[in-house]
Amino acid sequence: MKPKTSDISTVVIINKNQQQAKSLQIKTKHIERLRHYAWGIFGVVAVLSGLVFYLHRENGLQEAQNLQLQAQIAKLKGAMPVAAAPAANAKQGSAQSYIQSIEVKLKTINEYLKRRGLKGFAIKGTGGSGNNEAAKLPDSEAYSLYDDYLKHLTSTIAFTPMGYPRISSFTSFFGYRSDPFNSEHAEFHPGIDFQGRRGDEVKCTASGKVVFAGWAGGYGNCVRIQHINDLETLYGHLSKIDVKVGQKVTVGDDIGKVGSTGHSTGTHLHYEVRKNGKPINPVKFLTLNK
């Protein structure tokens, strides 16, 4: 369908160097919208100009920050003690490297503690007191001794049951108690019980290897994990088991869900620590102070 004559406008272009004028036919609506087009183009140009100005400003700020950081680095390098001869430090390394290594291990230890629900610790200083034998050694040897000790401490904390398998209140403690199914009789409770809701996560309290994961009579769904020094942890009455026999787990890993399977009067987590197969009081392993 051809457009109506009223919908078409004629634009005449006159060139003073040419005798004939040229005419263009344009839809009238485009001429009417010319102002909107002009404002649109102006808006795009303004946005692009603003973006260029912003990027230029940010680049200037970044360069200023880089110069400031370079000045701070140069200042810190100037404040550091001059390193000893390479031959003297070939085996032990610089004191600064030992300090950094110790800091990394302390952070690792604190991370293990936090995963167990325990509060981490802070070190006010390094190097010991004047009565410390290590303080009489050269810095590199003293820090080397601390470094070796912290390696042992890190490994011990990682593989020794410590802290809470879940953060909640206790519902029953280790030792003799009234039988919950028959109040006229007493029974020995080989662990502690943690309050919980069905489906709450249960976390292992130390790194180790899963030696049992399945149904275990009165324990219901149960997981046992073997650790160093003939220690073992047991997690009972689970509603779900998330690990399998032979699997290696790291402290803080989820191993199952709280439930009420087996010989249980309600939803909770039964937790045991065993030494050479015999249950010992888990309360001793809940904090560093025990």
Side-chain angles (χ1 to χ4, degrees):
M1 185 176 78
K2 295 183 178 180
K4 297 179 181 179
T5 306
S6 60
D7 295 336
I8 301 296
S9 297
T10 301
V11 178
V12 179
I13 302 175
I14 300 175
N15 191 336
K16 64 180 182 179
N17 296 327
Q18 296 180 358
Q19 295 180 353
Q20 289 186 338
K22 292 184 178 181
S23 62
L24 297 175
Q25 288 186 337
I26 303 174
K27 289 184 178 182
T28 304
K29 65 180 181 180
H30 291 317
I31 296 178
E32 294 174 347
R33 295 175 182 173
L34 186 61
R35 183 176 61 179
H36 300 290
Y37 296 152
W39 276 110
I41 294 172
F42 175 78
V44 172
V45 172
V47 170
L48 292 176
S49 300
L51 181 61
V52 170
F53 175 77
Y54 172 77
L55 293 176
H56 179 73
R57 179 174 174 274
E58 286 296 313
N59 186 52
L61 291 174
Q62 189 66 39
E63 289 181 357
Q65 289 178 355
N66 288 338
L67 291 175
Q68 185 178 6
L69 288 174
Q70 290 176 6
Q72 291 176 350
I73 292 173
K75 184 178 179 180
L76 289 173
K77 286 183 177 179
M80 290 179 62
V82 179
N89 292 327
K91 293 183 179 180
Q92 299 298 336
S94 67
Q96 187 67 26
S97 67
Y98 282 117
I99 294 175
Q100 293 173 353
S101 177
I102 288 172
E103 289 176 348
V104 170
K105 291 180 178 63
L106 290 175
K107 290 179 181 178
T108 302
I109 292 172
N110 271 335
E111 182 64 26
Y112 285 143
L113 297 178
K114 290 178 181 179
R115 289 184 182 182
R116 293 177 167 99
L118 300 177
K119 185 178 180 180
F121 57 88
I123 302 299
K124 295 182 178 180
T126 306
S129 63
N131 296 326
N132 194 326
E133 290 298 325
K136 300 178 182 179
L137 298 174
D139 286 344
S140 59
E141 293 184 19
Y143 289 132
S144 178
L145 290 176
Y146 292 143
D147 186 66
D148 290 340
Y149 172 74
L150 286 172
K151 285 180 181 178
H152 172 73
L153 183 60
T154 303
S155 176
T156 300
I157 289 180
F159 290 92
T160 300
M162 190 181 299
Y164 295 71
R166 59 167 283 96
I167 305 300
S168 66
S169 59
F170 305 134
T171 58
S172 185
F173 289 90
F174 179 87
Y176 284 96
R177 66 175 185 178
S178 176
D179 188 341
F181 290 92
N182 187 349
S183 59
E184 296 181 357
H185 294 82
E187 69 165 3
F188 179 76
H189 189 236
I192 54 178
D193 294 339
F194 291 88
Q195 187 177 13
R197 296 173 299 179
R198 180 181 175 84
D200 286 347
E201 294 179 344
V202 176
K203 301 179 182 295
C204 62
T205 55
S207 301
K209 181 179 179 181
V210 178
V211 293
F212 182 86
W215 189 269
Y219 289 110
N221 289 326
C222 174
V223 171
R224 296 195 346 255
I225 301 175
Q226 185 70 46
H227 311 287
I228 62 173
N229 299 328
D230 298 317
L231 290 172
E232 181 180 287
T233 51
L234 180 149
Y235 312 79
H237 306 311
L238 303 176
S239 61
K240 181 183 178 183
I241 295 175
D242 293 329
V243 292
K244 57 184 178 180
V245 175
Q247 179 178 338
K248 292 183 179 180
V249 292
T250 303
V251 53
D253 285 351
D254 296 334
I255 60 169
K257 303 292 187 293
V258 172
S260 184
T261 57
H263 195 65
S264 171
T265 58
T267 304
H268 69 283
L269 170 67
H270 176 80
Y271 174 65
E272 292 183 17
V273 177
R274 297 178 176 182
K275 174 74 171 179
N276 295 319
K278 296 181 179 180
I280 54 180
N281 195 345
V283 172
K284 298 179 180 179
F285 294 85
L286 293 181
T287 69
L288 288 172
N289 297 325
K290 298 293 184 179

